[in-house]
Amino acid sequence: MTKTPPAASPTPAETDLMLVERTVAGDQKAFELLVLKYQRRIERLIGRMVRDTDLVQDIAQETFIRAYRALAQFRGEAQFYTWLYRIAVNTAKKALVDMKRDPTVSESALRGGDEEDETSGVENELTTAETPETVLAAKEIAAAVNSAMESLPEELRQAVTLREIEGLSYEEIAEVMNCPIGTVRSRIFRAREAISQRIKPLLENQAGKRW
């Protein structure tokens, strides 16, 4: 007797779409699961666009409210989180325009407040050759990277954040930022170049030292 192979587990995208469909059908718990899944990532993204950390949760809440109202329009052509990120970016931009504030990296983001934030990895990684001097050097480099990101134009900062921090593909970033992939590649290249120029002197300085 031939055994029926087990059904393949749904992919994250399929799971998200299922939760969206259940929400649209009236299952509030399904939407709560989506919020739990993406809340921290959305807050982290918004935290890199606004200076006032007190606004992050409010903008994130508004993002999910807008997403909830628009769920019936989601057809699954794009990844759900790409669709959600785009709403978050637009919501943050609107909030900043309403208050006439310029987007910038938040102070909590500069402090590496999220333990999952890869930009703090330079500061947090330990090596066998660690000394007080190398720890200080790593902190200086991490601070320089964050400072360089803060000084980037908004569009460059968004692009490199979505790529390097959130790990989105170029196609997904193009969806979020509503621009061609070529523009995304150009923005990320320019952002990386600007960051590299800021930290290059530090790296050269450290390379010349003997610990």
Side-chain angles (χ1 to χ4, degrees):
M1 183 175 178
T2 305
K3 289 186 177 180
T4 303
S9 299
T11 65
E14 290 170 341
T15 300
D16 287 349
L17 183 57
M18 179 183 67
L19 290 173
V20 168
E21 291 171 346
R22 283 171 51 186
T23 302
V24 173
D27 185 350
Q28 296 296 319
K29 291 291 184 182
F31 188 69
E32 290 175 14
L33 290 174
L34 287 170
V35 173
L36 286 172
K37 183 176 181 179
Y38 291 112
Q39 184 171 10
R40 289 192 69 194
R41 294 180 70 180
I42 291 298
E43 288 180 352
R44 186 170 62 188
L45 173 68
I46 294 168
R48 290 189 169 273
M49 293 182 63
V50 300
R51 180 179 296 277
D52 191 342
T53 55
D54 293 336
L55 293 175
V56 172
Q57 288 190 342
D58 289 342
I59 296 173
Q61 184 178 28
E62 179 65 21
T63 294
F64 284 110
I65 290 172
R66 290 186 176 195
Y68 180 79
R69 291 171 178 168
L71 271 185
Q73 302 169 22
F74 179 73
R75 302 298 181 211
E77 289 90 351
Q79 297 278 354
F80 175 74
Y81 66 78
T82 303
W83 180 79
L84 184 62
Y85 274 27
R86 187 168 178 178
I87 294 175
V89 168
N90 290 335
T91 303
K93 281 184 176 181
K94 182 180 183 303
L96 290 164
V97 168
D98 288 347
M99 293 178 296
K100 298 180 180 179
R101 295 181 180 177
D102 294 326
T104 185
V105 177
S106 71
E107 293 174 8
S108 63
L110 292 177
R111 292 194 298 269
D114 190 335
E115 66 271 14
E116 294 178 359
D117 191 339
E118 287 84 348
T119 55
S120 63
V122 176
E123 186 175 328
N124 293 335
E125 284 186 9
L126 302 178
T127 66
T128 55
E130 187 178 82
T131 66
E133 291 82 3
T134 57
V135 170
L136 178 61
K139 288 184 177 181
E140 289 177 350
I141 293 169
V145 170
N146 282 320
S147 177
M149 287 189 67
E150 180 181 9
S151 66
L152 290 173
E154 177 190 351
E155 291 179 341
L156 301 191
R157 183 171 59 253
Q158 279 186 30
V160 78
T161 295
L162 290 170
R163 178 63 179 170
E164 304 296 353
I165 308 303
E166 300 300 336
L168 269 63
S169 68
Y170 288 101
E171 292 81 3
E172 290 167 339
I173 296 170
E175 283 280 339
V176 170
M177 301 191 71
N178 194 26
C179 65
I181 291 179
T183 302
V184 170
R185 293 184 185 279
S186 174
R187 289 174 180 173
I188 291 173
F189 175 80
R190 287 158 56 198
R192 286 172 173 168
E193 282 289 296
I195 294 170
S196 177
Q197 289 301 313
R198 289 284 292 271
I199 67 172
K200 188 176 179 181
L202 275 176
L203 295 174
E204 290 175 346
N205 185 42
Q206 300 307 327
K209 292 185 178 180
R210 296 290 181 269
W211 305 115

